[in-house]
């Protein structure tokens, strides 16, 4: 057996890793893990522990998403095969959440009196929306923010997070997409049998409280990227593949760069994202 960073690894006769055991956690610690006790081995993988240790060592005070929650909800659960299609309200599903923003080109539309159209499911400006379950949804980190959205509601597989004014929603989005946010989400969804994230787990995500001015700069940089996302969507709507490809590649590059700069700020490797 080998022993590295409090992990013991056993290999079979062919040299393949067979068992990995954490030896630094007591039964009491396992039972006290929040937001719920976790016994699954994946939850205690060192990569998750290391990212949490890095956050604790950050020069910034830590808060939780739950501290800034104004509303956390999901779309209506509608059963039956009745046709509710119309031309009034966009019905946003997991597949409409792209890496760089909402993709409503070809999205489903429903009647304004459809059972999908309920107050809690309506998108507001700067609502954060994310996939709540499934390998192709929460497992692919499908999350974005609504910027001046059209008349739209989410379905039951998409959650809406509205935050209060004490934190910038654009910063929360970029943090969620960063290694520091995503590994927390991944830890939660891998810690259970089915890929999903609960409201309590969303609220428990820890986030560094970086200065307000930096959060504002992140918002400004995100909106610059969003211009290219919108151009890409316009190209897609017009079946202009060249325009779509050119602009979506620019948007993706800008977003990845913004995420990297935000991570560097959290690590104290740079002072700001601009």
């Amino acid at each position: 057996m080998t022993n590295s960073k409090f992990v013991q690894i056993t290999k079979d006769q062919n040299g393949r890793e067979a068992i990995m055991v954490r030896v630094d956690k007591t039964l009491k610690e396992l039972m006290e893990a929040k937001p719920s006790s976790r016994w699954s081995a994946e939850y205690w993988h060192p990569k998750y522990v290391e990212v949490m240790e890095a956050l604790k060592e950050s020069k910034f005070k830590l808060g939780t998403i739950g501290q800034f929650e104004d509303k956390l909800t999901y779309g209506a659960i509608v059963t039956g095969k009745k046709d509710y299609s119309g031309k009034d309200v966009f019905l946003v599903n997991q597949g409409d959440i792209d890496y760089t923003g909402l993709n409503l080109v070809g999205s489903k539309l429903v009647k304004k009196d459809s059972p999908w159209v309920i107050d809690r499911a309506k998108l507001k400006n700067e609502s954060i929306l994310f996939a709540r379950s499934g390998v192709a949804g929460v497992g692919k980190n499908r999350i974005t923010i609504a910027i001046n959205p059209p008349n739209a509601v989410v379905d039951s597989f998409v959650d809406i997070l509205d935050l209060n004014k004490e934190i910038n929603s654009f910063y929360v989005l970029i943090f969620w997409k960063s290694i520091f946010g995503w590994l927390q989400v991944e830890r939660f969804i891998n810690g259970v049998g089915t890929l999903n994230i609960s409201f309590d787990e969303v609220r428990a995500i820890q986030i560094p409280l970086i200065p307000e001015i930096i959060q504002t700069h992140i918002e400004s940089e995100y909106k610059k990227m969003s211009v290219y996302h919108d151009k890409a969507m316009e190209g897609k709507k017009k079946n202009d593949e060249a325009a779509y490809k050119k602009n979506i590649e620019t948007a993706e590059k800008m977003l990845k760069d913004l995420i990297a700069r935000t991570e560097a700020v959290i690590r104290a490797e740079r002072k700001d994202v601009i």
Side-chain angles (χ1 to χ4, degrees):
M1 301 184 78
T2 61
N3 192 336
S4 175
K5 292 187 178 180
F6 304 107
V7 176
Q8 289 187 328
I9 300 172
T10 299
K11 295 184 178 180
D12 64 16
Q13 65 270 26
N14 297 316
R16 295 174 300 188
E17 183 178 317
I19 302 171
M20 182 178 72
V21 183
R22 287 296 296 267
V23 296
D24 63 321
K25 293 296 178 183
T26 65
L27 179 61
K28 183 174 184 291
E29 288 174 309
L30 290 172
M31 292 300 294
E32 291 177 347
K34 300 299 181 183
S36 58
S37 59
R38 298 290 184 148
W39 285 56
S40 60
E42 184 71 17
Y43 182 84
W44 297 102
H45 194 286
K47 68 179 180 180
Y48 302 131
V49 177
E50 288 169 5
V51 79
M52 295 309 300
E53 289 175 348
L55 283 177
K56 290 175 182 177
E57 292 170 2
S58 169
K59 68 177 183 179
F60 304 110
K61 180 181 177 182
L62 292 180
T64 63
I65 297 297
Q67 289 177 235
F68 307 102
E69 174 195 343
D70 184 45
K71 180 181 72 175
L72 179 57
T73 188
Y74 55 92
I77 299 174
V78 179
T79 59
K81 296 182 179 181
K82 186 176 178 180
D83 182 13
Y84 296 113
S85 59
K87 296 182 179 180
D88 302 317
V89 184
F90 283 101
L91 179 61
V92 179
N93 60 44
Q94 295 185 8
D96 297 327
I97 303 174
D98 282 355
Y99 179 65
T100 54
L102 270 178
N103 177 3
L104 297 179
V105 180
S107 296
K108 186 175 182 179
L109 284 158
V110 295
K111 300 173 184 177
K112 61 183 178 181
D113 59 351
S114 160
W116 294 105
V117 183
I118 58 176
D119 285 341
R120 76 161 192 255
K122 293 179 179 178
L123 290 188
K124 299 191 302 185
N125 189 38
E126 298 187 12
S127 288
I128 293 175
L129 53 156
F130 56 94
R132 68 193 312 262
S133 64
V135 174
V138 65
K140 293 294 185 181
N141 200 6
R142 288 185 179 270
I143 179 171
T144 194
I145 191 167
I147 303 177
N148 299 319
N151 193 8
V153 294
V154 299
D155 69 14
S156 58
F157 294 100
V158 177
D159 286 349
I160 294 177
L161 173 62
D162 289 324
L163 300 166
N164 60 37
K165 298 302 181 182
E166 295 178 18
I167 198 167
N168 189 295
S169 298
F170 291 88
Y171 166 54
V172 172
L173 171 68
I174 293 299
F175 175 78
W176 190 307
K177 286 179 174 288
S178 76
I179 189 173
F180 298 107
W182 172 240
L183 283 184
Q184 290 188 67
V185 175
E186 186 180 80
R187 187 185 200 191
F188 287 139
I189 64 177
N190 283 333
V192 294
T194 303
L195 288 186
N196 63 69
I197 186 165
S198 70
F199 286 172
D200 283 345
E201 289 165 343
V202 171
R203 294 180 178 115
I205 294 172
Q206 296 186 49
I207 183 169
L209 305 182
I210 65 176
E212 183 179 347
I213 185 63
I214 303 178
Q215 295 185 36
T216 301
H217 290 161
I218 290 171
E219 175 180 349
S220 177
E221 293 296 293
Y222 185 92
K223 287 180 176 178
K224 291 177 185 177
M225 177 281 301
S226 188
V227 170
Y228 290 93
H229 170 82
D230 291 344
K231 288 180 179 179
M233 295 302 104
E234 188 64 27
K236 188 172 186 177
K237 188 175 181 180
K238 294 178 179 178
N239 293 316
D240 187 340
E241 184 62 25
Y244 169 76
K245 185 176 180 181
K246 176 184 176 181
N247 287 290
I248 203 67
E249 288 178 352
T250 300
E252 289 174 352
K253 183 178 183 298
M254 292 175 70
L255 182 52
K256 288 175 183 177
D257 186 56
L258 177 57
I259 293 168
R261 282 181 277 149
T262 303
E263 291 174 345
V265 168
I266 294 170
R267 294 191 187 101
E269 296 170 353
R270 61 183 296 161
K271 294 182 179 179
D272 205 336
V273 296
I274 58 174

